[in-house]
Amino acid sequence: MRKVSVVILNWNGAEMLRTFLPSVVKYTNPELAEVCVADNGSTDNSVDIVRDEFPSVRLISFKENYGFAEGYNKVMDNVATDYVVLLNSDVEVTEGWIEPILSYMESHKDVAACQPKILNYHDKKKFEYAGASGGYIDKYGYPFCRGRVFDSLETDNGQYDTPADIFWASGAAMFVRRDVYVAVGGLDPKFFAHMEEIDLCWRLLSRGYRLVCIPESKVYHVGGATLKKENPKKTYLNFRNNLLMMYKNLPSDELRKVMIVRCFLDYLAVVFYILKFDFSNASAVVKARKDYSFMRKDFKSLRDENLRQTKWSKLKFRYDFSLILQSKIFGKTTYSRLVK
């Protein structure tokens, strides 16, 4: 019986499906996993491509674009396996990528989610931005990885090839227990896109589960395929959703102090963009803060529920330092220098 559903959420990604789906079909053991494409109301020929060119792939069709978060929430109602892989449409997988993670999760029942080692598709010796070899955050909500600190990407020399407990698993290639995903509420659809996987992982950790990176499994990710890194919309969603995530999950004794510092750091980012004459991204940060203030009241009940369900408020892999200070001022631009 198949234990895993590998699900690629697609929206108008016909060419990416043609490019990357073949590796998923080739290297996914059909005895262990089914390969699915969940189409988010595409208006291109994505659906026809899956039906005509990939007959072994199961197609799940939605009539509209639900975004990354709600799209995957709806996927859970359409699969029945123990594990689901949230796989971006711009990921090339490698031989044997399923087996080591499935084996680890089968033998460690306290692990709710895992990710493989994620390398850069265009420079396969480098780690990729969105996940690298496992993710963490600093005290003020800034994410970083084994292999990536802000825009500094390390060369993969095997330095992070040991399995490691992490704070967040990348949504580019996340293995998750389906029943646990549903029980904790899944990805937050109000986020639409960006930061939603870190928010989910925070809930999983605080409720007593572990998250692990298994580098024996390896994939290559293009990254930025939907929105380029400096796109103002991406800047807006990253800042807004990061603030909402912090509000939803921070312990009460930390919330006010941390958010005061975040306000200062966010407006420092505005000044940074202005000095680069990047007024679009500066405006995106200002709008993100304004909309966060407006939306916060809608997240009060979710915050209350998270605090009620929390078993561990002091999470080990939310590090008690400022990533900006350590990396930009003290020059610590690798994980191994940040965390000794």
Side-chain angles (χ1 to χ4, degrees), residues 119-130:
L119 298 171
N120 191 321
Y121 177 78
H122 294 298
D123 185 353
K124 294 187 175 181
K125 294 181 180 180
K126 294 276 190 181
F127 286 101
E128 207 279 316
Y129 184 90

Side-chain angles (χ1 to χ4, degrees), residues 249-302:
N249 295 287
L250 275 173
S252 297
D253 61 346
E254 285 192 75
L255 180 63
R256 185 171 180 274
K257 293 178 182 178
V258 167
M259 295 309 266
I260 288 174
V261 175
R262 267 303 300 270
C263 183
F264 170 77
L265 293 173
D266 288 350
Y267 281 107
L268 193 64
V270 172
V271 173
F272 172 76
Y273 281 126
I274 290 173
L275 290 175
K276 294 202 308 179
F277 299 98
D278 188 348
F279 301 111
S280 295
N281 275 300
S283 297
V285 178
V286 173
K287 178 174 170 53
R289 287 210 58 91
K290 180 180 178 181
D291 287 356
Y292 157 70
S293 298
F294 178 77
M295 295 172 66
R296 187 171 52 194
K297 64 182 183 299
D298 298 328
F299 287 80
K300 178 63 165 60
S301 61
L302 291 172

Side-chain angles (χ1 to χ4, degrees), residues 141-172:
Y142 289 88
F144 61 101
C145 307
R146 293 197 305 171
R148 190 271 293 177
V149 175
F150 285 124
D151 293 337
S152 179
L153 300 170
E154 294 182 50
T155 298
D156 176 24
N157 295 312
Q159 67 270 44
Y160 304 124
D161 272 359
T162 54
D165 280 67
I166 56 179
F167 189 95
W168 57 273
S170 173

Side-chain angles (χ1 to χ4, degrees), residues 9 20 133 154 325 340:
L9 192 65
F20 296 100
S133 199
E154 294 182 50
L325 181 65
K340 295 184 178 180

Side-chain angles (χ1 to χ4, degrees), residues 81-129:
T81 50
D82 293 341
Y83 305 94
V84 178
V85 183
L86 284 55
L87 187 69
N88 276 15
S89 59
D90 59 345
V91 171
E92 178 184 85
V93 305
T94 62
E95 186 173 2
W97 74 293
I98 292 280
E99 287 82 350
I101 294 183
L102 177 60
S103 175
Y104 191 92
M105 295 185 77
E106 286 280 271
S107 60
H108 296 81
K109 300 300 183 182
D110 59 336
V111 175
C114 285
Q115 72 157 76
K117 177 165 67 172
I118 304 175
L119 298 171
N120 191 321
Y121 177 78
H122 294 298
D123 185 353
K124 294 187 175 181
K125 294 181 180 180
K126 294 276 190 181
F127 286 101
E128 207 279 316
Y129 184 90

